Amino acid sequence: MIIKILGSGCNNCVRLEANARKAAEELGITAEFVKVKEMADIAAYGVMRTPGLVVDEKVVSFGKVLSPEDIKPLISK
């Protein structure tokens, strides 16, 4: 599984990545985490508000920091 965090590296982006890592760890899921910081690359996903969360090339959230509990159902499918 590849989980991408879309954003410039702001505090919200850092928090979202930490929450996604925690959710994956708690579920026992092995995932590769990728940071996407270039605005052109972020816009290519159709995301205009960061942070964004992409799971296996599908945008599952943007514009908010999800908790680990919110992320778990998005990555356990």
Side-chain angles (χ1 to χ4, degrees):
M1 173 179 293
I2 299 174
I3 298 174
K4 295 182 179 180
I5 308 298
L6 309 181
S8 62
C10 64
N11 286 336
N12 286 341
C13 301
V14 172
R15 285 182 23 230
L16 180 62
E17 180 180 0
N19 291 348
R21 286 182 182 274
K22 183 175 181 183
E25 180 182 330
E26 289 178 1
L27 290 172
I29 293 173
T30 301
E32 176 184 347
F33 287 84
V34 178
K35 296 177 186 176
V36 179
K37 294 183 176 183
E38 294 297 322
M39 288 309 296
D41 296 334
I42 293 169
Y45 284 98
V47 172
M48 294 298 144
R49 291 182 58 214
T50 60
L53 183 65
V54 177
V55 178
D56 291 333
E57 294 304 311
K58 179 181 177 194
V59 177
V60 295
S61 173
F62 63 91
K64 58 186 169 185
V65 178
L66 298 177
S67 71
E69 293 304 315
D70 292 332
I71 296 170
K72 285 179 183 179
L74 301 174
I75 64 174
S76 65
K77 297 178 181 178

